[in-house]
Structure formats: structure tokens, C-alpha cells
Amino acid sequence: MLTLELHAPPQVPLEVDGILPEHVRQLSAKEIAKLPVQYGNRQVELGEFFQVSGNAADEQFEWRGDLSGVHRIGGKMTRGKVFVRGNAGRHVGIEMRGGEIVVEGDASDFLGCEMHGGSIRVQGSAGDLVGGAYRGSLRGMTGGTILIDGDAGNEVAHSQRRGLIAIGGNVGDYAAVNMLAGTLIVGGDGGRRPGAGMRRGTILFLRSRPELLPTFRFGCRYQPTWLPLVTRDLLKRGFRFPERIGSSVCDLYHGDLLHGGRGEVVFLS
């Protein structure tokens, strides 16, 4: 395993694009320390901020320290495993296609934006636009899994196309806004206007019943056949839900009727 321990906290954003398991597996620790990273408006060597040790041959990274000022960790990764032993900055796991990222603290905004595959697990909370689309983009997350034990901010699953996002705590406003497909599960409270503009996909609220826009209508009360399968998979990953969820009766609403009405918002009864 390669260990990168922060020894000089950055005063302006530090972006670590390209410092990925698949890119450096054949390099020594000294060579990795000399790789360029973006510090504000200039490039510096990674070793100016991190003590690099260990071996990258097994394609496993361990970032250590308060990395809230370090951005783009794991961005565009395709394989390997990345551990963040602390808080992480913005853009963690953006556009990733494979591999696994585990953040033991909190993550900031744009977690997993426009990701295509792989998995991200945050044991703390995350910011805005989890699994979402960048401004001007048509699609957010198109595959993979994002699990957050704590809370998340606004516009979670913005324009999500495929994949699964599960939030153990609360979410902010406009959850799954413009959702195209995929699944969002919220264990805590929801903010304003969930599902606004959604075309397809599913939002499941396990505890709260946030007010829906008038462009949603009640469909039926039922027991989703997919719910036990999803929860069983998440429980295997160590993501905890109420024990009764697998056999719960749910209320189903269809919407957004302004955009075809094929989306689903599901509330546990």
C-alpha cells in the first residue's frame, strides 16, 4: 500500500489530479513524490505537501490527514482502492469508472459527480451535488454506487442517469432534481421540492415525507419487490437500515407530470 501523509496543510486549493493507483503502480515512492499537482495557479511537486511512503504495486492508496483543502482525490480512477483517513475536499471520485474509495471522515461538494462506475463510501457527511451533474452538463452519475452514512447537501442525484445513491441521514433541497433514471434512498429528512423535473428513476424516503410539488400524484400503496434485494445488498456492504424495511408497505407517487410522470417517489408507510 502507498501512504500519502499530509505534512503541510495547503493555504489555497490543492488539486491532485492523476495521482491514481493505475497511473503510479510502477513508480517508486520517491518518483511519486516528484509528480506535479496544481496548487492554486501554479504547479508544485506532490512531495511539498505529502510524505510519500510504501509501495503502489498493489494499487491501494492511503491518504492521511485533514484533506479538506485537497481536491479531486480519486477523480477519473478506473481501478484500485483509495482510503482517505480523514476529511476530504471537493470533487472526490468525479468521473470515476471503477475501483473503490472509502472516506473515513466528511467529504465536500461534488462527490462522485458524473461518475460512471465503481463505488464510494463516506462514513461521515457530504456536501452539495452528490452524484450530480456539473453546471451545463446534461447527465450526472451514470453508474456505480455512492453510500453516505451521514447527511448530504442540496441537489443530491442532480440529473442522475443510472446507479444507486444511499444517504443514511438527511438531504437538502432539490434532491434528484432533473433525475433521468437510477435510485436515490434517503434514510433521514428531505428538503424542499424533491424530484422536481424528474423524468424517470426512483426516490425512496425511509423516514420523512417531504412535501411534493403539485405535479406529483398518488399512485398506490404496495410492497416493492425490488426493496428486499436492494436492502440486502446494502446490508452486506455494512450500510444499516431499519430491520422492517424489507417487508414494508409503501406509498407510491408518480411525477414529475410536467416531464412525462414516469418518475417514482416512494414513502415507507
Side-chain angles (χ1 to χ4, degrees):
M1 178 181 289
L2 186 76
T3 299
L4 304 102
E5 185 159 3
L6 187 69
H7 62 75
Q11 302 303 307
V12 297
L14 176 65
E15 299 179 349
V16 293
D17 294 88
I19 310 299
L20 300 173
E22 64 266 37
H23 289 173
V24 304
R25 61 185 306 270
Q26 296 181 333
L27 301 180
S28 68
K30 287 184 178 180
E31 290 172 321
I32 293 170
K34 292 183 178 297
L35 292 175
V37 292
Q38 191 72 28
Y39 182 53
N41 61 0
R42 62 190 179 94
Q43 282 196 337
V44 299
E45 291 184 355
L46 180 67
E48 288 193 26
F49 292 92
F50 289 92
Q51 179 67 43
V52 183
S53 60
N55 192 310
D58 63 357
E59 298 189 353
Q60 293 193 37
F61 277 20
E62 183 178 64
W63 297 84
R64 288 187 168 273
D66 184 0
L67 304 169
S68 50
V70 180
H71 308 300
R72 300 181 181 271
I73 294 173
K76 298 184 180 181
M77 69 183 288
T78 60
R79 63 178 189 264
K81 191 164 186 176
V82 171
F83 298 93
V84 180
R85 310 293 189 190
N87 298 329
R90 298 187 293 271
H91 309 286
V92 171
I94 60 167
E95 299 181 53
M96 68 183 291
R97 294 183 176 274
E100 181 180 0
I101 299 175
V102 178
V103 180
E104 292 186 350
D106 297 331
S108 190
D109 302 331
F110 307 107
L111 175 79
C113 261
E114 302 185 15
M115 69 183 289
H116 307 290
S119 66
I120 302 175
R121 177 70 178 273
V122 177
Q123 296 176 2
S125 296
D128 298 336
L129 285 158
V130 171
Y134 286 112
R135 300 307 186 210
S137 293
L138 297 177
R139 294 182 178 182
M141 174 182 182
T142 61
T145 302
I146 301 176
L147 307 179
I148 299 173
D149 292 354
D151 302 328
N154 299 323
E155 299 184 54
V156 173
H158 184 309
S159 300
Q160 181 182 355
R161 179 65 180 84
R162 291 189 184 90
L164 169 67
I165 302 174
I167 313 294
N170 307 325
V171 296
D173 299 335
Y174 291 98
V177 59
N178 295 338
M179 178 184 258
L180 301 169
T183 303
L184 170 63
I185 301 176
V186 180
D189 295 330
R192 297 175 298 171
R193 298 178 177 86
M198 71 185 298
R199 290 163 173 77
R200 286 179 292 152
T202 302
I203 313 171
L204 170 63
F205 288 96
L206 302 181
R207 188 175 71 188
S208 65
R209 284 186 174 238
E211 183 179 357
L212 298 176
L213 290 167
T215 50
F216 284 79
R217 68 183 177 198
F218 178 74
C220 65
R221 176 166 286 192
Y222 77 130
Q223 285 185 293
T225 56
W226 52 267
L227 188 53
L229 302 176
V230 172
T231 54
R232 190 179 305 125
D233 177 64
L234 292 175
L235 286 170
K236 287 180 180 178
R237 299 169 183 254
F239 199 79
R240 296 298 172 190
F241 287 112
E243 292 183 3
R244 65 183 181 86
I245 183 177
S247 58
S248 294
V249 175
C250 300
D251 291 332
L252 170 65
Y253 289 79
H254 298 289
D256 187 327
L257 297 177
L258 291 177
H259 297 273
R262 291 187 292 169
E264 299 178 339
V265 179
V266 181
F267 300 114
L268 251 65
S269 298

